[in-house]
Amino acid sequence: MPGAMQGAGSRTGRQFLSFGVIGAVGFVVDVAVLYAALHGLATGYYLGRLLSYLAAASTTWYLNRHFTFARSEDDGLLVQWLTFLLVNAFGGLVNYAVYCGVIYLAPEQIWTPAAAVAAGSISGLALNFISSKKLVFERAARVK
């Protein structure tokens, strides 16, 4: 039995590492879309971040689906994507609140939005990993 427990912990550790690496990809998407929204669409910091968060969350859902929590392709993609967004909504709210706090408190510099995205992303990482693992990907696998 100890080997099974160790295997489960090792698997979760690998999944968390993969989730973090994919989160870094999501960060790049988040910042790129945010700066495009700020400078190309003149959305402002808050609406721009809502757009960039949605793009990053969609990217990380897709990558986590295929790499971190490797799942079959025959699932309802739209349902799983919406479930992922809903399940991660609390972490997303924490992420957005931290982002808004940094935007409000930090000096207005070219790097400020990226730093605010980083602070927000880090704040929701562990919560989003646990909720994604347990409520989106493992739950769907158990239902099959």
Side-chain angles (χ1 to χ4, degrees):
M1 207 48 133
M5 293 298 289
Q6 184 180 17
S10 176
R11 178 172 171 240
T12 298
R14 283 191 308 275
Q15 286 176 330
F16 186 74
L17 179 62
S18 177
F19 193 85
V21 169
I22 289 170
V25 172
F27 170 77
V28 171
V29 169
D30 205 335
V31 170
V33 171
L34 176 60
Y35 278 84
L38 291 173
H39 300 291
L41 302 175
T43 59
Y45 292 124
Y46 304 106
L47 177 58
R49 182 65 203 291
L50 291 175
L51 296 173
S52 71
Y53 177 82
L54 185 58
S58 296
T59 300
T60 58
W61 161 75
Y62 180 82
L63 294 173
N64 278 311
R65 173 184 169 79
H66 290 286
F67 298 106
T68 306
F69 304 108
R71 310 228 333 108
S72 66
E73 290 300 317
D74 61 354
D75 295 331
L77 295 176
L78 179 60
V79 170
Q80 189 184 57
W81 176 69
L82 291 172
T83 302
F84 181 82
L85 294 178
L86 181 64
V87 164
N88 286 286
F90 182 72
L93 288 173
V94 170
N95 181 327
Y96 189 73
V98 170
Y99 166 85
C100 290
V102 172
I103 289 294
Y104 181 77
L105 295 172
E108 192 167 334
Q109 300 289 324
I110 190 71
W111 53 262
T112 303
V117 169
S121 297
I122 291 167
S123 69
L125 176 67
L127 177 62
N128 285 342
F129 171 73
I130 293 166
S131 59
S132 292
K133 179 176 172 62
K134 297 295 183 189
L135 300 175
V136 178
F137 297 105
E138 284 186 359
R139 183 187 152 282
R142 284 191 305 265
V143 171
K144 281 187 152 183

